[in-house]
Amino acid sequence: MDKFQKFSGIVVAIDRPNIDTDAIIPKQYLKSIKRSGFGVNLFDDWRYLDPGEPGKSNSERRVNPDFLLNKSRFKHAQILLARENFACGSSREHAVWALMDFGFKVVIAPSFADIFYNNSFKNGLLPVVLAANLIDQLFEDFERQQDYQLRVDLENQLVTNRAGIQMPFEIDEFRKYCLLNGFDDIGLTMQHADQIKAFEQKYFAQYPWLQ
Amino acid sequence: MSAQTLYDKIWAAHEVRSDENGLTLLYIDRHLVHEVTSPQAFEGLELAGRALWRKESILAVADHNIPTINLENGITDAVSRLQVETLDQNCDKYGLVVFKMGDERQGIVHIIGPEQGATLPGMTVVCGDSHTSTHGAFGALAFGIGTSEVEHVMATQCLIQNKSKNMRITIDGPVAVSITAKDIVLRIIAEIGTAGGTGHTIEFAGEAITNLSMEGRMTLCNMTIEAGARAGLVACDQTTIDYIEGRPFAPTGENWKLAVSYWQTLHTDKNAVFDREVHIDGALIEPQITWGTSPEMVVSVNDNIPDPAAESDEIKSGGMRNALAYMGLEANVPINEVMLDKIFIGSCTNSRIEDLRAAAQIAKGRKVADNIKLAMVVPGSRLVKRQAESEGLDQIFIDAGFEWREPGCSMCLAMNDDRLEPGERCASTSNRNFEGRQGQGGRTHLVSPAMAAAAAVTGHFVDVRKLVR
């Protein structure tokens, strides 16, 4: 996993609450046994006007000209601004893989579904929770400004706009540490292997039917 | 020791270590695996040169891609086939228990786990699937995880977790006759919203809950994730113990006695404090139908489709307008007047024997309405299918004009060939009515099995209580 470094990035906003993981990456693409290649089908049902299938070239499909991700100025967007309960529904990590494969590094929303929130950190995608009134403000700014950008600084837990207004966010210390260092948490857990073995010994003595 | 909730007790029993920030290494007893969310985890394990920690904890099955018709032809979609073959190969390589396509025990992962006695009270159960919450019906802490966490459990038998908050939802008093677990859970989601349980583990309590069979409790816990909570719980009682006894993976002999005496301690202490308590009057719950594209968009069967103009929250009313447009519906119309195209009885929510019995009772001696293009029944597992056939339920469905299919996830998420075409409207016993969930442009209404059968024979939604004999 790459280390998460501070950056300024283009923002794109999707103004809908409860965007679900089926919308982020529809089921037919989950048939892949790989982790990569999902970006071209991110928000597939909204991005294209005709149905897609794995293996079918997207260049032959009709693009929805109204969907923001299809506008050339958002081609290199790195920050997704969304509404409450972002990525609810299925546990598919493919949703995170698709967002990252498109180029997103950060999603900012007032709230996230729990499983997606967890999955994000495992891949280096940063979910930032900001208060709903701040999110309203960001949506307004996005509507007004042509080339809207934000700066995200994980180390100092700050989102900053061009005017220099800082919006602090909360994040779990361990998750922050893993993102900043690009750590694989399986490796970190393996350091406790002896403790897990000791736990098992005691555990199976107490609950022998589970062995 | 201070009074503990059921969740507190299960959590404490599985804590390998905790740091000063409350981050816990949680031990996992049962790992259910299916073909969609595991290939990248197996691959990751291999690339890192890591071993599998405890292969006995794993029970694997292919379900999402499995066709429900013409099984003798195998899986004709090459991409689907490769995914299922990859699961089989990975399981064979590591020597895991796997129910392959065609196995008598094959079925939907959340059906077969309990059916085999692989889900036991007090366990931690995980699976790369959000509906793992189903297993909470047994008083097990069960939740869905992503593929990276699947790999983490494979490699370490543990997960790094923050403890959730405690929430209790009590259904006060009994529910009326003909009101099912599906109606209860849809009502709960309507009340607390799809993010209402975020960050919480929900324990369900009250007379209406303890009156439920294990099948009903599984339906209830299954859709806890639709209320935003990763895990739902129902305390273990005699109903639970009776269900488990004698199943293939269940403990026997001396171990059975030990297990039962431990399971009987698995309930919330009398004075335990919950972070949030919700009460719902059981007597007020009617048959429920979703009208929109989020499981919280629910009405009772005799209600009208709601009007966004009456919603003061702008974001909410915008969401309602989007949903009405997608669903091709108008506000203020009685939901009973909505005509349907397809009926789907199946999924990890409602494909157990009790669900099929309830649907068959309504279908018996009636015919699927002319406007219904397809009404299909997809049993949750081959064992459920065999049981239903031994009771003659298959013939009831076939006589009524339903298709009687092979087990799998099927049109709940349409990863196989079973799907809605654009614009088609379906009464479905599944769990999600998201845009495109059952096929691009498809329109899903979530209901109980009896309500789906009633919709099949009348062609539109109808209060099932009018059809009960």
Side-chain angles (χ1 to χ4, degrees):
Chain A
M1 199 163 84
D2 293 337
K3 292 180 181 180
F4 192 98
Q5 287 164 341
K6 56 184 142 192
F7 73 103
S8 290
I10 296 170
V11 179
V12 64
I14 304 183
D15 197 357
R16 279 175 182 243
N18 301 316
I19 292 177
D20 57 75
T21 51
D22 277 81
I24 296 172
I25 184 83
K27 82 280 292 179
Q28 63 268 38
Y29 303 108
L30 311 189
K31 294 177 186 177
S32 167
I33 56 171
K34 304 271 173 238
R35 280 176 191 259
S36 54
F38 297 103
V40 287
N41 300 109
L42 175 70
F43 298 116
D44 196 79
D45 283 2
W46 297 340
R47 250 166 106 188
Y48 301 95
L49 296 169
D50 48 7
E53 286 298 328
K56 178 176 171 183
S57 166
N58 290 300
S59 61
E60 293 161 19
R61 299 174 64 193
R62 285 186 299 136
V63 167
N64 176 3
D66 298 329
F67 190 60
L68 288 188
L69 258 57
N70 288 330
K71 311 249 184 218
S72 59
R73 66 179 194 274
F74 297 121
K75 222 174 167 176
H76 301 291
Q78 290 179 296
I79 301 172
L80 178 65
L81 180 62
R83 294 289 186 184
E84 64 183 32
N85 202 23
F86 182 76
C88 57
S90 140
S91 66
R92 60 187 73 165
E93 199 157 316
H94 312 67
V96 176
W97 300 335
L99 286 162
M100 295 197 73
D101 199 37
F102 182 88
F104 287 112
K105 292 181 173 177
V106 174
V107 184
I108 304 176
S111 60
F112 292 89
D114 287 338
I115 303 178
F116 175 85
Y117 190 80
N118 264 313
N119 288 344
S120 298
F121 289 101
K122 312 284 181 189
N123 296 278
L125 179 73
L126 175 64
V128 172
V129 177
L130 291 177
N133 62 329
L134 275 178
I135 297 283
D136 288 343
Q137 186 60 53
L138 295 182
F139 268 94
E140 278 176 36
D141 294 347
F142 172 76
E143 288 300 324
R144 274 205 314 267
Q145 298 176 30
Q146 260 293 315
D147 172 32
Y148 186 54
Q149 298 204 11
L150 287 168
R151 184 167 179 76
V152 179
D153 177 354
L154 172 60
E155 192 158 15
N156 295 301
Q157 297 174 218
L158 289 172
V159 174
T160 310
N161 69 11
R162 275 198 183 129
I165 294 171
Q166 296 184 330
M167 291 154 274
F169 61 89
E170 294 293 320
I171 183 169
D172 176 85
E173 275 303 317
F174 176 75
R175 285 170 160 154
K176 175 175 163 181
Y177 166 77
C178 287
L179 275 190
L180 286 172
N181 294 289
F183 283 151
D184 151 23
D185 59 7
I186 297 178
L188 295 175
T189 299
M190 291 300 278
Q191 293 173 5
H192 303 298
D194 288 343
Q195 223 174 331
I196 301 170
K197 283 180 192 150
F199 173 89
E200 278 184 326
Q201 264 201 337
K202 227 175 68 187
Y203 185 77
F204 289 130
Q206 198 174 352
Y207 310 109
W209 64 90
L210 292 176
Q211 200 161 15
Chain B
M1 199 194 282
S2 63
Q4 289 180 301
T5 65
L6 171 55
Y7 173 56
D8 294 338
K9 289 180 184 179
I10 302 175
W11 180 273
H14 292 86
E15 258 187 73
V16 175
R17 69 188 303 276
S18 286
D19 71 9
E20 61 278 14
N21 298 316
L23 204 65
T24 298
L25 204 55
L26 196 73
Y27 191 76
I28 303 302
D29 296 309
R30 176 66 67 203
H31 189 183
L32 301 166
V33 168
H34 66 78
E35 80 274 23
V36 181
T37 55
S38 66
Q40 298 88 348
F42 280 112
E43 186 193 52
L45 212 59
E46 208 143 295
L47 288 175
R50 287 175 175 135
L52 209 146
W53 188 283
R54 190 165 179 268
K55 67 177 190 178
E56 299 81 10
S57 69
I58 295 180
L59 175 58
V61 68
D63 55 7
H64 286 62
N65 286 279
I66 300 296
T68 60
I69 198 166
N70 301 332
L71 287 194
E72 63 282 5
N73 298 343
I75 304 174
T76 50
D77 175 346
V79 192
S80 283
R81 192 171 60 239
L82 177 64
Q83 193 164 56
V84 173
E85 286 171 355
T86 303
L87 177 74
D88 291 351
Q89 285 160 10
N90 282 325
C91 290
D92 290 346
K93 183 171 167 190
Y94 287 95
L96 307 178
V97 178
V98 57
F99 299 163
K100 296 179 183 175
M101 191 172 142
D103 190 301
E104 270 300 296
R105 300 160 298 176
Q106 185 267 335
I108 306 172
V109 65
H110 305 309
I111 306 288
I112 63 132
E115 190 171 76
Q116 292 294 320
T119 301
L120 299 173
M123 271 185 166
T124 45
V125 180
V126 296
C127 175
D129 192 287
S130 60
H131 289 110
T132 308
S133 58
T134 309
H135 308 264
F138 290 80
L141 176 59
F143 53 90
I145 55 179
T147 297
S148 294
E149 288 189 315
V150 169
E151 185 182 339
H152 196 124
V153 178
M154 285 176 172
T156 70
Q157 210 55 42
C158 293
L159 281 175
I160 302 170
Q161 295 285 298
N162 283 302
K163 198 177 172 194
S164 310
K165 289 181 182 165
N166 276 292
M167 178 169 175
R168 179 162 59 188
I169 298 180
T170 307
I171 308 298
D172 293 312
V175 289
V177 179
S178 297
I179 298 303
T180 66
K182 186 64 164 285
D183 302 305
I184 296 174
V185 73
L186 285 174
R187 194 65 239 150
I188 289 170
I189 298 162
E191 298 272 339
I192 72 170
T194 50
T198 303
H200 293 77
T201 291
I202 301 178
E203 181 172 348
F204 298 100
E207 190 183 336
I209 305 300
T210 48
N211 283 347
L212 290 174
S213 64
M214 288 316 295
E215 285 83 357
R217 293 179 195 185
M218 285 189 254
T219 299
L220 173 76
C221 290
N222 172 276
M223 288 192 70
T224 312
I225 184 66
E226 270 63 61
R230 286 172 78 186
L233 286 167
V234 176
C236 173
D237 62 10
Q238 197 56 44
T239 305
T240 325
I241 293 167
D242 291 344
Y243 179 96
I244 296 167
E245 192 169 12
R247 291 185 185 266
F249 285 62
T252 53
E254 199 52 37
N255 272 343
W256 173 256
K257 285 183 204 156
L258 276 171
V260 169
S261 68
Y262 170 61
W263 295 344
Q264 284 165 339
T265 69
L266 290 175
H267 51 78
T268 291
D269 295 332
K270 206 172 164 209
N271 297 317
V273 178
F274 286 81
D275 299 287
R276 190 175 167 204
E277 293 251 25
V278 173
H279 285 266
I280 294 172
D281 185 349
L284 299 181
I285 302 177
E286 295 195 83
Q288 303 289 301
I289 303 170
T290 66
W291 59 268
T293 53
S294 163
E296 69 188 23
M297 294 172 164
V298 176
V299 288
S300 295
V301 62
N302 296 308
D303 286 351
N304 293 347
I305 295 165
D307 190 344
E311 173 59 56
S312 55
D313 183 322
E314 254 182 63
I315 296 173
K316 266 198 180 147
S317 63
M320 289 169 75
R321 279 189 195 93
N322 280 339
L324 287 175
Y326 180 85
M327 294 295 289
L329 293 173
E330 279 178 40
N332 303 314
V333 171
I335 193 86
N336 279 336
E337 290 177 10
V338 174
M339 301 300 286
L340 295 153
D341 303 306
K342 284 184 175 169
I343 308 291
F344 173 61
I345 298 174
S347 87
C348 59
T349 311
N350 279 128
S351 65
R352 299 176 184 83
I353 189 67
E354 184 181 277
D355 301 316
L356 304 190
R357 286 178 190 144
Q361 201 192 12
I362 299 298
K364 191 171 185 174
R366 296 191 170 104
K367 292 280 177 206
V368 169
D370 288 343
N371 59 304
I372 302 295
K373 296 182 218 167
L374 171 71
M376 62 195 292
V377 184
V378 183
S381 70
R382 190 150 289 106
L383 292 177
V384 168
K385 184 170 188 258
R386 298 282 181 247
Q387 175 67 30
E389 287 168 350
S390 76
E391 297 178 19
L393 304 185
D394 56 328
Q395 209 50 53
I396 294 175
F397 286 121
I398 291 165
D399 289 348
F402 286 83
E403 291 194 12
W404 180 246
R405 297 288 189 95
E406 297 294 329
C409 297
S410 182
M411 208 163 69
C412 172
L413 86 167
M415 269 186 82
N416 67 357
D417 289 336
D418 308 334
R419 65 189 63 175
L420 299 180
E421 297 304 322
E424 282 184 340
R425 186 180 303 285
C426 179
S428 176
T429 66
S430 55
N431 41 59
R432 288 184 178 138
N433 53 353
F434 299 152
E435 285 185 19
R437 170 79 179 182
Q438 294 192 293
Q440 199 187 29
R443 295 159 170 168
T444 302
H445 296 271
L446 305 176
V447 288
S448 73
M451 282 287 286
V457 297
T458 55
H460 54 84
F461 288 116
V462 62
D463 190 335
V464 66
R465 293 170 292 192
K466 290 180 184 160
L467 272 65
V468 175
R469 295 177 181 95

